Amino acid sequence: MFYKRRRRWEIDEARATPEEVFWNRRKVLAAAGLGAAGIGSIGLGARLLGDSMPTEIAPPALAAADDEPDLTAQYYPFEPNDRFVLDREVTDEALASTYNNFYEFGSHKRISRAAQALQIRPWDIKVDGEVERSFTIGIDDLVKRMPREERLYRHRCVEAWSMAVPWSGFALRAFVELARPLSSAKYVRMETFLDTKVASGQLQFWYPWPYVEGLTIEEATNDLAFMVTGVYGKPLAKQFGAPLRLALPWKYGFKSIKSIVRISFTKERPVSFWEEIQPAEYGFWANVNPEVSHPRWSQATEQVLGTGERVPTLLFNGYAEEVAHLYANVEGEQLYR
Ligand code: MTE
């Protein structure tokens, strides 16, 4: 059972964005070409195939999924890890929960209602590839076994908007230890669920479903790589990618794959969802760098959700000290796209 306890990062009601202000803000963003159908439009898949292609299939009126109980709910909020501090205020929960990229449920930001159709309990994660032994683990079992903590992280979308949220979860490194990869494992590949019955976006055949992302073993075992099971001191709401997503705060947000069902350790570098659609614009590394523009827009600044402010973007999204060394010997690669 949940009871309301104010957390150190919560803002009081008076300072939260009222709903009508939020929706007006969306109209302004839309008018500026930054709104629903794609701030800067990572949703270019449909456009590649021609503007006549419908960019949206109307979501069917699906009921919320009949989930089995979350056996880990009593663990929230997780213990804060004070190493991870912010240079800005935490984004208002109501705003972050209603402004989401989750193309499985539509190529716009208002997918939160449609995402409730996703059944997140029971939920199994398959672990395979270059590991001592493949296995499948249920999400509740996984959460119980992992060292749980809460971290305040910035999130920088490639579309040039940003937010800051308190993620609950566990270090990806702890998961890698559990998986026991072989020395032949060079990459970690992650895959989202595939179910066109609940995710109408997956009927959009011009996208290479399921959503796939990947990172090197060195990146995966870096301190910052984080597996997320909750946010704002509660289990993850479905639109954030429940019950398990990734958070890689030094990379553009599209690397932070949602609703993961499979984690494979591979010898070969995986090709990610956006990279497969448009390799000239989205690559494997996708590290944040204000000096390297997206081919169609600048990455020098970002719009901070909920504030109306545009602030300078930082190299590695402000996490250079933690991660720059990972790329010291990487040559001949496009690291910032
Ligand atoms: N994961 C899946 N499976 N599907 C998606 O469409 N969008 C990505 C990423 N993970 C996406 C995804 C993008 S572009 C961003 S910016 C973040 O999720 C958005 O996370 P948020 O909705 O929690 O802000």
Side-chain angles (χ1 to χ4, degrees), residues 44-302:
L44 81 175
R47 263 180 242 166
L48 285 175
L49 295 174
D51 278 332
S52 57
M53 190 69 74
T55 53
E56 191 59 29
I57 292 173
L62 284 175
D66 191 13
D67 289 310
E68 287 178 11
D70 174 351
L71 303 179
T72 65
Q74 77 272 17
Y75 297 140
Y76 295 87
F78 294 179
E79 191 63 36
N81 182 335
D82 294 329
R83 266 183 62 209
F84 301 99
V85 291
L86 288 175
D87 60 346
R88 57 192 68 178
E89 287 209 34
V90 164
T91 305
D92 170 36
E93 181 179 355
L95 183 49
S97 315
T98 46
Y99 192 87
N100 303 97
N101 273 338
F102 203 168
Y103 276 67
E104 284 80 347
F105 296 100
S107 43
H108 55 84
K109 301 288 185 282
R110 294 176 62 181
I111 53 77
S112 58
R113 223 155 57 93
Q116 303 317 308
L118 180 65
Q119 183 160 24
I120 57 166
R121 291 287 187 303
W123 188 277
D124 286 340
I125 300 116
K126 184 175 175 189
V127 183
D128 63 2
E130 303 295 308
V131 286
E132 282 179 15
R133 205 163 46 84
S134 302
F135 63 96
T136 297
I137 187 163
I139 184 67
D140 291 337
D141 192 15
L142 180 64
V143 174
K144 283 178 192 166
R145 292 168 70 157
M146 289 289 104
R148 299 177 294 274
E149 55 178 286
E150 179 186 82
R151 298 182 179 187
L152 297 169
Y153 270 179
R154 291 187 290 272
H155 173 97
R156 170 57 158 82
C157 179
V158 73
E159 298 164 336
W161 57 266
S162 65
M163 63 177 185
V165 292
W167 295 124
S168 312
F170 49 87
L172 176 53
R173 181 196 284 140
F175 175 82
V176 172
E177 280 164 16
L178 177 81
R180 302 172 75 86
L182 302 171
S183 57
S184 51
K186 303 285 179 257
Y187 299 92
V188 186
R189 177 189 184 277
M190 301 193 188
E191 193 177 295
T192 297
F193 72 90
L194 180 63
D195 185 352
T196 53
K197 288 194 294 302
V198 295
S200 66
Q202 292 182 331
L203 293 168
Q204 296 183 309
F205 59 86
W206 51 95
Y207 288 114
W209 306 111
Y211 200 99
V212 166
E213 259 308 338
L215 63 170
T216 64
I217 281 277
E218 292 75 25
E219 290 177 320
T221 51
N222 171 264
D223 271 356
L224 279 183
F226 200 55
M227 294 299 268
V228 173
T229 61
V231 69
Y232 295 102
K234 296 172 286 198
L236 214 50
K238 294 182 182 180
Q239 59 269 31
F240 284 110
L244 183 68
R245 70 171 282 171
L246 189 58
L248 302 174
W250 72 100
K251 291 181 179 284
Y252 289 116
F254 66 87
K255 297 292 295 182
S256 294
I257 181 173
K258 297 180 167 185
S259 302
I260 298 163
V261 293
R262 184 174 175 194
I263 302 178
S264 310
F265 291 80
T266 65
K267 292 179 185 167
E268 307 292 332
R269 183 189 292 186
V271 178
S272 59
F273 183 81
W274 291 107
E275 188 184 4
E276 189 166 343
I277 294 168
Q278 183 50 293
E281 302 199 349
Y282 308 103
F284 170 77
W285 300 96
N287 295 310
V288 175
N289 187 336
E291 287 177 10
V292 179
S293 295
H294 182 278
R296 291 181 288 122
W297 61 86
S298 164
Q299 296 291 22
T301 62
E302 65 205 46

